[in-house]
Amino acid sequence: FLKNHPSEALVIMIKKDAGSDKGLTSAMASFIKNNKEYVWTEGRIPTMGEARGKIVFVRRYDISEYDYRKDGLESYWFGIDLTNWDEHQYSDYEYAIPIYNFEDKEIVYVQDAYNEGSSGKIRHIEGTLKQTVGKDPTHEIPNNSWVYNYTSCASGFPLGLTRDINP
């Protein structure tokens, strides 16, 4: 895709649902080594212009058990470290919360209140949108931030949730 569309960028979140962090890290290391020209390999969040033609990984798994240096890799090549994503109770908030902050220059906000019913989830989605556009001055999100505003939820009947949330 990136070979045919060099003006595009891919932001890919990787997380482990089963297996080991070490196995996942080993597979990622192999991919990175064999495709380095397409992987964002700087230790910071890129601008869109910098990311063009690259895959920017967002990592939700631990790489500490893998000796990536023996492969000539750096830890930040595996992606922006969001391993603390699941340490938060998003349903306790009506808005997105910062889970990554590097010197107030690079911030990632997440709203992932998946355990809400449809009406509660809609409040979270709308609250995060208000933050993003500055309509909630008490929880404003800076312009230089990345925001993940999940619309998925797991509390209820899937078809009914979809019908409620999608409009």
Side-chain angles (χ1 to χ4, degrees):
F1 176 82
L2 291 173
K3 195 180 293 184
N4 293 329
H5 305 282
S7 65
E8 299 294 327
L10 299 174
V11 177
I12 299 177
M13 181 181 299
I14 307 288
K15 74 178 208 123
K16 174 190 67 125
D17 282 331
S20 72
D21 287 341
K22 188 174 181 180
L24 178 56
T25 307
S26 178
M28 287 299 299
S30 176
F31 178 86
I32 292 166
K33 284 190 300 189
N34 293 317
N35 299 282
K36 187 176 174 195
E37 70 273 18
Y38 294 108
V39 176
W40 175 255
T41 58
E42 293 193 36
R44 60 184 177 77
I45 295 176
T47 65
M48 188 60 202
E50 293 170 327
R52 293 189 196 289
K54 302 285 184 185
I55 299 168
V56 180
F57 287 115
V58 177
R59 175 172 56 86
R60 289 177 60 188
Y61 62 97
D62 182 26
I63 63 171
S64 64
E65 293 182 27
Y66 183 80
D67 186 6
Y68 49 83
R69 293 198 189 278
K70 74 173 172 48
D71 291 327
L73 305 174
E74 298 292 336
S75 63
Y76 48 84
W77 294 4
F78 291 85
I80 300 160
D81 182 3
L82 300 183
T83 53
N84 67 341
W85 182 295
D86 295 316
E87 294 173 8
H88 304 283
Q89 295 297 318
Y90 298 97
S91 60
D92 293 344
Y93 303 93
E94 293 292 325
Y95 48 86
I97 57 174
I99 63 167
Y100 177 91
N101 188 338
F102 180 74
E103 298 179 353
D104 289 330
K105 295 177 190 170
E106 302 168 4
I107 307 170
V108 176
Y109 283 78
V110 172
Q111 176 283 116
D112 191 12
Y114 63 87
N115 272 332
E116 291 289 318
S118 56
S119 62
K121 186 61 178 192
I122 289 169
R123 273 196 323 277
H124 290 283
I125 295 165
E126 290 174 345
T128 299
L129 290 172
K130 287 176 184 173
Q131 281 180 277
T132 304
V133 298
K135 299 264 186 196
D136 180 352
T138 59
H139 302 102
E140 193 169 350
I141 294 177
N143 290 334
N144 63 332
S145 303
W146 283 19
V147 180
Y148 287 89
N149 191 6
Y150 276 83
T151 59
S152 60
C153 56
S155 181
F157 183 67
L159 185 57
L161 294 169
T162 302
R163 285 181 180 146
D164 290 344
I165 292 174
N166 284 343

